[in-house]
Amino acid sequence: MRLLSSRRRHPATRALFLALALSLMGVLYATVAPTAPSSAEGPSSTQIEEGQALYRTGCASCHGLNAEGTSQGPTLIGVGAGSVDFQMGTGRMPAAAPHAQIPAKPKVYSDDEIAAIAAYIGSLDLGIAIPDIGQYSMEKPARGQFPAGHDGDVAYETALDEYYRVVAIGGELFRTNCSACHNYQGTGGALPGGKHAPSLEGVEGRYILEAMRIGPQQMPVFSADVISDEEAAAMITYLEELHGQRNNGGLGLGGFGPVGEGLWAWLIGIGGLICFAIWITRKGVRAK
Ligand code: HEC
Ligand code: HEC
C-alpha cells in the first residue's frame, strides 16, 4: 500500500493515467462527434450530370460523345477539370472553327456552366484540378491589420518589406522562365510559325497557375516540382503589381529596360558623330 501512497507513486503510473485518459477521450469524441463532411467538397452527381448534358450539346461534336476525341478535337479523358476551367475561362473553348492557335476571347458559358462541365470531365479521370485561391494569391499587408501607434507602424513596414521581397523573387522567376516568350513585362510576343504568346495583362491568377501546370500549345509544362505553388503565387503577384503600376507617360519601349534607351542613344549619338565627321572632312577638303 505504501507504494501507491500519493507521495511515492511509481513514475510510470502518471504516464499510464495520461495515456488512458487520452484514449478514453478519443473513444468518446469518435462516438459523440458528428461525422465530419469530407473537407474536399467534391462535385455533386447532379452537377456532373448537368455538365455532361452541356458537354454533349456544346463540345461533343469535336471532342466526341464520351470525350474520346474525334478528328476535330483531342480526347478530354485525363486532362482534368483544371484544363476545362482554363480553356473555357479564357474563352478558347468552345472553339468556333479549327485554327492553328485557337484565340482567347470573352467566355461564352457562365461560371456555373463551366464548373459543371469541368466537374464532368474531372469525373472521367483525374488530371489537373482547379486550384484553390490560396494556391495562387498572396495577401498584401494593409495598415489596418496592425495596431495603431509606433509599434504598429514598424510591424506594418516589416510585413510590407517582406511582401515586396517575395514579389521580387516572383519577378526574377518570371524573367527566368516566362519572359522569353511573354516578354519582360508579360505583354506577349510573336513565336515562329505565325503563332504568338499572348499578353498576360489582366489574366486572372488561377488561369496563370493552370496554364503553367497544363502548358497549352508551345508553352512548356511547369510542374509543381519545377515551380512550387508558393513560387507561382509570387510570380502572379509580381505580374499583378507590374500591370497595376501607374503609367507615368513616356514611351514604354517594351519594358526592355536600358536596352531601348541605349538603342536611341546609339542612333542619335553615333548618328550625330557620323554627321559631324562628314561635315569636318568636307570642311577640310575645302580648306586645301
Ligand atoms: C470546333 C471544334 C471544337 C469545339 C466545339 C470544342 N473544342 Fe475543345 N478543342 C478543340 C481543338 C482543335 C483543341 C486543341 C487545341 C490546341 O491544340 O490548343 C481543343 C482543346 C480542348 C481542351 C484542351 C485539351 C488538352 O489536351 O489540353 C479542352 C479542355 C477543351 N478543348 C474543352 C472543350 C470544351 C469543354 C468544349 C465545349 C464547351 C469544347 N472544347 C468545344 C476543338 C473544339
Ligand atoms: C516557349 C514559349 C512560352 C514560355 C516559355 C511560356 N509560355 Fe505561356 N504561353 C505560350 C503560348 C504559345 C501560349 C498560348 C497558348 C494557346 O494559345 O493555347 C501561352 C499562354 C499562356 C497563358 C494564357 C494566357 C491567356 O491569354 O489566357 C498564360 C497565363 C501563360 N502562358 C503564362 C506563362 C507563364 C507564367 C510562364 C512562365 C512560367 C509561361 N507562360 C512561359 C508560350 C510560352
Side-chain angles (χ1 to χ4, degrees), residues 187-275:
T187 47
L191 291 175
K195 300 194 172 185
H196 73 284
S199 166
L200 304 183
E201 220 163 321
V203 177
E204 271 178 54
R206 78 176 213 250
Y207 301 135
I208 299 180
L209 183 57
E210 283 168 356
M212 285 166 57
R213 302 301 187 232
I214 295 163
Q217 294 247 339
Q218 287 114 312
M219 182 165 152
V221 174
F222 296 91
S223 69
D225 298 333
V226 179
I227 295 181
S228 70
D229 283 352
E230 290 78 38
E231 289 171 328
M235 290 166 72
I236 290 162
T237 311
Y238 165 76
L239 285 172
E240 282 166 3
E241 287 281 342
L242 182 72
H243 294 149
Q245 232 170 43
R246 210 149 46 96
N247 187 348
N248 291 318
L251 221 60
L253 297 170
F256 243 59
V259 176
E261 285 86 332
L263 181 70
W264 289 108
W266 244 83
L267 290 178
I268 295 167
I270 305 273
L273 281 176
I274 291 173
C275 291

Side-chain angles (χ1 to χ4, degrees), residues 58-59 62-63 72 74 76 79 83 87-88 93-95 102 117 217:
C59 326
C62 292
H63 290 290
Q72 302 297 307
L76 299 185
V79 301
S83 181
Q87 296 284 347
M88 294 186 74
M93 291 293 142
I102 293 160
I117 299 179
Q217 294 247 339

Side-chain angles (χ1 to χ4, degrees), residues 66-90:
N66 297 304
E68 71 281 15
T70 68
S71 59
Q72 302 297 307
T75 174
L76 299 185
I77 298 171
V79 301
S83 181
V84 173
D85 190 54
F86 171 76
Q87 296 284 347
M88 294 186 74
T90 61

